[in-house]
Amino acid sequence: MNLLELVFRNSFRKKTRFTLTCLSVVVAFFLLTTLAGIDHALNASVSNSNQYRLMTSHKISITRSLPINYQQKIKALAGVENATYVSWFGGYFQNEKNQLAVMAVDHNTYFDIFDEYKIPAEQLTSWKSTRTGLVISQSIADKYDWQIGDKVPLSSSIWMNKSGSFNWEFIVSAIYQRQDNTTDSKRIFFQHLYFDKARAYARNMTSWLSTQIKTDVDDEQVSKAIDKLFNNSDAATRTTTEQVFIKEQAQQFVDMAMVIKVVLIAVFFTLLLIVCNTMIQVNRERLNETAMMKAIGFSSLSLVKQVYLESLLMLSLGAILGSLLATLTLSQVQLQFADFLPGIAIDPSHYLTVFFLVIGAAGLCSLFPAITIKRLIISETLGARA
Amino acid sequence: MSTLSVAPAKKLNNIILQDINKSYSKGDNNVVVHDKFNLAIKSGDFVAIMGPSGLGKSTLLHLMGGLDRPTSGHVEIGGQRIDELSESKLTRWRADNIGFIFQSHHLLPVLSAQGNVELPLSLTPLNKKQRQQHAANALALVGMADRAHHFPKELSGGQEQRVAIARAIVSDPQILLCDEPTGNLDRKTADEILALLKKLNNDFGKTIVMVTHDLKAAEYASRVINLEEYIALGVEAQGAQIPQEQQSILVGE
């Protein structure tokens, strides 16, 4: 018999209570880990954004277009390295369930600024010279089994072409690679020139512009200069850093995450109270045994250590099971929501957070029993039958 | 460390309670349990403390065992003032010197008889094998070797008390403090337990102080203190009541 064995045996003394309390820990850590995975996806694009890129959209709403000629005016500003423009096409393949992030981009400048897309040089050249060319990601190519040279029909729910159809024809010209697994890996690009000539309306207009600034200039200053440039025009602009822009776009998700986080914190603290209460109850039931152990020479510290280890065992088991279950669930969710919310993953540092949470929660749950043990008067507890 | 040593392998552990005052608060009242109480017990003695409830018999036992502290006065065991020890030192001292036997055995239900007896040894530097050996020896001594792997719920009241005695003696303390050790037992079983205590006193030289209401139990002791009469004698006379050979303890000879 050693103390660890005693802790283990004491833990499973009331199996139903242990199992139910442990299950509540499982649920809390399942929620925590699941949220961490979703949070990772929501923040992935933001953390991957470039600090030297500015995004310019219509001052009123991003749904309003800007003149394409803004590109040249922005380029002429001091501190600007390069500028490009992008139009949102949206689109889907075959049916609306297969939604895709399709964008029309300026083929001359876009990939110079967004150099995180790794495209073989010959494919990039081929795409630039193919008016209806598409640049797709490896994951899209794998998913739909598309290869270079394949003709691909894509439909847009926004843009009608001059023939009065919402169906557009493309040819796969290039496939890009990305190291990470973010929203960008689901993006598809085609030439804005083709888009502009083929669409039925809104010619010479674009959804937004991206500006690459020089590394030694203040982004805020350049942003102000851009907006000032168009302040008195029909299409006034609002320029922010790429990080702020992406954050704003994801605002609805982030807000949702905030709500989930608040709910989760509430759930987690309720769980702590449950485990705390269990440990207090356990300690109260064993007061006589605790007093006896103190009488035969166990120090208060040693007895508190036992309570701590008991809490730790319960929380660890729950945390391991909950986190494991969430990790398995997320791996399935990731497959199902790959297009809608890519980047669902558990950062390894999350497990470290779980580890420290368990250590801390065990300490918190042992606090009240520790005070009771410390204050316990042996003679009173064992009954001074004078 | 041997399982049980025969006296006087350890140094003499005379018990001295000198000018003990013990009181506690109960609501707004201050209840005085002992007032200038004196008692000396010689190492190796078997003393039964008797008397009606409410006189502070168990309190005396708790004071001797370091489970409680006097309001004033000295508690000296083996030449050491235990009332002056810090809480942690007192805990360590109890582990080394005192074996407790309670009316309610307070065995841990999750541990077998062997596990319960090994419990105090987990505070010693003994390895697992040594602990098991010591516990087995103690269980054999109390006649419980064949029940070593039984859990408390599988044992009778007498058997549980035997295991509690084995737990009390396994780390070889010189002093055994017994609070109504036979209070929950039938006569036959009580006699067996008392015979066992007598054996521990005779064969191993354990100093035993036993609080009891049982006149028959008191017959096993070498000295019986009727606390009611003892207190009635007064402070000066209490000293005179202490046997001649033990009076020297009080005066420090």
Side-chain angles (χ1 to χ4, degrees):
Chain A
M1 205 291 304
N2 58 40
L3 288 182
L4 280 180
E5 190 186 336
L6 180 61
V7 167
F8 193 77
R9 283 173 185 258
N10 269 332
S11 294
F12 295 101
R13 202 155 159 175
K14 295 203 170 170
K15 292 184 181 66
T16 310
R17 179 167 65 192
F18 181 85
T19 308
L20 290 175
T21 313
C22 203
L23 273 177
S24 62
V25 182
V26 170
V27 170
F29 278 94
F30 175 81
L31 286 173
L32 184 76
T33 305
T34 306
L35 176 70
I38 293 167
D39 198 43
H40 184 272
L42 291 174
N43 289 315
S45 300
V46 177
S47 57
N48 283 311
S49 56
N50 189 314
Q51 58 175 322
Y52 299 113
R53 287 199 296 245
L54 303 178
M55 305 289 280
T56 302
S57 59
H58 199 288
K59 192 174 184 178
I60 295 171
S61 164
I62 194 170
T63 55
R64 292 200 176 192
S65 301
L66 297 171
I68 285 178
N69 64 17
Y70 278 16
Q71 179 197 26
Q72 296 308 320
K73 292 177 180 174
I74 291 171
K75 258 186 176 177
L77 284 172
V80 171
E81 187 80 43
N82 203 351
T84 190
Y85 51 88
V86 181
S87 284
W88 177 253
F89 180 81
Y92 55 88
F93 176 59
Q94 290 180 336
N95 69 61
E96 289 185 10
K97 284 182 182 172
N98 301 323
Q99 289 289 336
L100 295 164
V102 186
M103 287 178 285
V105 299
D106 175 23
H107 62 282
N108 290 317
T109 51
Y110 188 81
F111 289 110
D112 293 337
I113 295 175
F114 292 85
D115 55 0
E116 59 264 41
Y117 297 96
K118 305 296 175 200
I119 306 169
E122 70 279 7
Q123 288 184 19
L124 186 61
T125 310
S126 162
W127 174 69
K128 283 181 177 176
S129 60
T130 310
R131 211 161 54 104
T132 57
L134 277 185
V135 180
I136 62 170
S137 68
Q138 187 63 55
S139 58
I140 293 281
D142 293 341
K143 185 175 179 182
Y144 296 110
D145 196 24
W146 292 345
Q147 288 166 5
I148 305 279
D150 282 0
K151 282 189 176 176
V152 174
L154 294 178
S155 304
S156 172
S157 47
I158 311 168
W159 299 104
M160 188 172 70
N161 53 36
K162 281 179 177 168
S163 60
S165 168
F166 285 90
N167 300 322
W168 296 62
E169 285 290 331
F170 297 99
I171 296 171
V172 176
S173 301
I175 297 173
Y176 67 82
Q177 306 277 349
R178 281 195 64 130
Q179 295 288 325
D180 49 11
N181 184 29
T182 65
T183 48
D184 293 340
S185 67
K186 305 295 174 192
R187 286 183 180 174
I188 294 178
F189 307 94
F190 70 98
Q191 286 192 19
H192 205 283
L193 195 63
Y194 166 53
F195 179 56
D196 212 30
K197 283 185 177 172
R199 62 181 162 175
Y201 39 81
R203 285 194 68 187
N204 296 320
M205 300 297 277
T206 187
S207 299
W208 68 84
L209 293 110
S210 287
T211 304
Q212 185 168 37
I213 58 170
K214 290 176 180 165
T215 53
D216 57 347
V217 298
D218 179 20
D219 56 57
E220 211 175 314
Q221 236 174 359
V222 181
S223 298
K224 279 180 182 170
I226 293 172
D227 291 340
K228 192 179 172 188
L229 197 62
F230 309 114
N231 207 17
N232 296 318
S233 70
D234 290 342
T237 59
R238 181 170 178 268
T239 304
T240 63
T241 60
E242 190 178 84
Q243 283 186 336
V244 171
F245 182 81
I246 293 172
K247 264 186 192 170
E248 284 174 359
Q249 296 309 303
Q251 194 66 51
Q252 53 179 322
F253 293 113
V254 174
D255 279 350
M256 197 187 294
M258 278 289 288
V259 172
I260 296 170
K261 268 181 187 169
V262 169
V263 171
L264 188 72
I265 288 168
V267 169
F268 200 76
F269 273 93
T270 309
L271 158 93
L272 267 185
L273 293 179
I274 292 170
V275 180
C276 269
N277 190 46
T278 303
M279 292 317 295
I280 290 169
Q281 201 180 338
V282 163
N283 195 52
R284 197 166 41 228
E285 285 169 5
R286 298 182 199 158
L287 268 189
N288 276 349
E289 291 167 24
T290 307
M292 183 278 294
M293 288 179 79
K294 266 188 129 174
I296 64 175
F298 283 86
S299 65
S300 297
L301 187 68
S302 150
L303 293 166
V304 170
K305 202 161 74 182
Q306 287 180 46
V307 175
Y308 177 76
L309 288 173
E310 217 172 300
S311 308
L312 193 65
L313 179 67
M314 186 189 285
L315 285 161
S316 302
L317 263 179
I320 289 169
L321 282 174
S323 303
L324 197 68
L325 208 62
T327 307
L328 291 174
T329 307
L330 280 178
S331 64
Q332 290 304 310
V333 170
Q334 190 188 15
L335 295 176
Q336 297 296 319
F337 290 84
D339 294 329
F340 173 67
L341 191 63
I344 293 177
I346 310 287
D347 197 285
S349 66
H350 169 73
Y351 296 110
L352 204 64
T353 308
V354 168
F355 174 77
F356 284 116
L357 270 177
V358 167
I359 300 277
L364 210 63
C365 293
S366 313
L367 191 64
F368 291 107
I371 294 169
T372 309
I373 289 170
K374 183 73 187 160
R375 288 180 178 170
L376 184 138
I377 299 169
I378 306 168
S379 55
E380 282 181 9
T381 311
L382 294 179
R385 290 171 306 279
Chain B
M1 180 192 286
S2 62
T3 303
L4 285 177
S5 57
V6 180
K10 279 198 171 183
K11 66 174 182 175
L12 288 176
N13 280 286
N14 299 323
I15 300 170
I16 300 169
L17 303 182
Q18 198 158 25
D19 295 330
I20 295 292
N21 288 308
K22 179 64 187 172
S23 58
Y24 60 89
S25 299
K26 197 171 187 179
D28 293 336
N29 301 320
N30 189 43
V31 180
V32 178
V33 184
H34 291 292
D35 184 22
K36 292 195 183 299
F37 183 87
N38 292 289
L39 178 67
I41 296 170
K42 198 176 176 186
S43 182
D45 215 347
F46 186 167
V47 176
I49 302 177
M50 300 189 71
S53 299
L55 279 181
K57 300 188 296 296
S58 293
T59 303
L60 285 179
L61 217 57
H62 293 153
L63 290 171
M64 290 178 207
L67 300 183
D68 207 349
R69 292 174 189 272
T71 310
S72 66
H74 298 178
V75 180
E76 197 174 305
I77 314 278
Q80 184 164 24
R81 285 278 301 275
I82 65 164
D83 56 287
E84 289 179 335
L85 292 177
S86 67
E87 202 53 49
S88 58
K89 281 182 180 167
L90 192 59
T91 303
R92 187 67 245 172
W93 175 85
R94 278 200 303 269
D96 292 340
N97 296 282
I98 304 289
F100 290 101
I101 300 163
F102 302 102
Q103 181 176 357
S104 298
H105 45 77
H106 298 304
L107 296 178
L108 297 189
V110 290
L111 298 180
S112 65
Q114 172 88 19
N116 269 288
V117 177
E118 274 184 48
L119 199 61
L121 297 178
S122 63
L123 299 165
T124 68
L126 295 177
N127 63 33
K128 189 178 179 183
K129 200 174 173 186
Q130 288 170 319
R131 290 201 303 265
Q132 286 174 339
Q133 189 56 52
H134 280 68
N137 291 346
L139 281 168
L141 192 70
V142 298
M144 289 294 291
D146 58 337
R147 295 279 191 276
H149 299 294
H150 287 230
F151 285 83
K153 65 179 179 187
E154 299 165 342
L155 301 173
S156 68
Q159 287 171 331
E160 284 179 307
Q161 197 59 294
R162 282 172 184 270
V163 175
I165 293 171
R167 181 181 64 193
I169 61 174
V170 73
S171 52
D172 194 21
Q174 185 55 30
I175 299 167
L176 293 179
L177 301 177
C178 316
D179 196 355
E180 300 274 10
T182 57
N184 289 339
L185 305 175
D186 60 60
R187 184 70 267 155
K188 183 173 174 291
T189 314
D191 284 340
E192 286 171 6
I193 296 296
L194 290 163
L196 183 59
L197 291 176
K198 186 72 185 166
K199 182 183 174 187
L200 290 168
N201 175 244
N202 285 340
D203 298 354
F204 298 96
K206 302 293 173 196
T207 305
I208 298 179
V209 183
M210 175 174 69
V211 164
T212 183
H213 282 104
D214 183 4
L215 280 170
K216 186 86 188 305
E219 287 175 12
Y220 287 83
S222 52
R223 181 180 160 209
V224 178
I225 296 173
N226 186 319
L227 204 57
E228 193 174 27
E229 292 172 7
Y230 190 81
I231 292 170
L233 287 170
V235 181
E236 295 304 322
Q238 280 173 16
Q241 276 289 299
I242 297 168
Q244 195 66 42
E245 74 275 14
Q246 291 181 24
Q247 283 189 15
S248 57
I249 300 170
L250 265 180
V251 294
E253 286 175 15

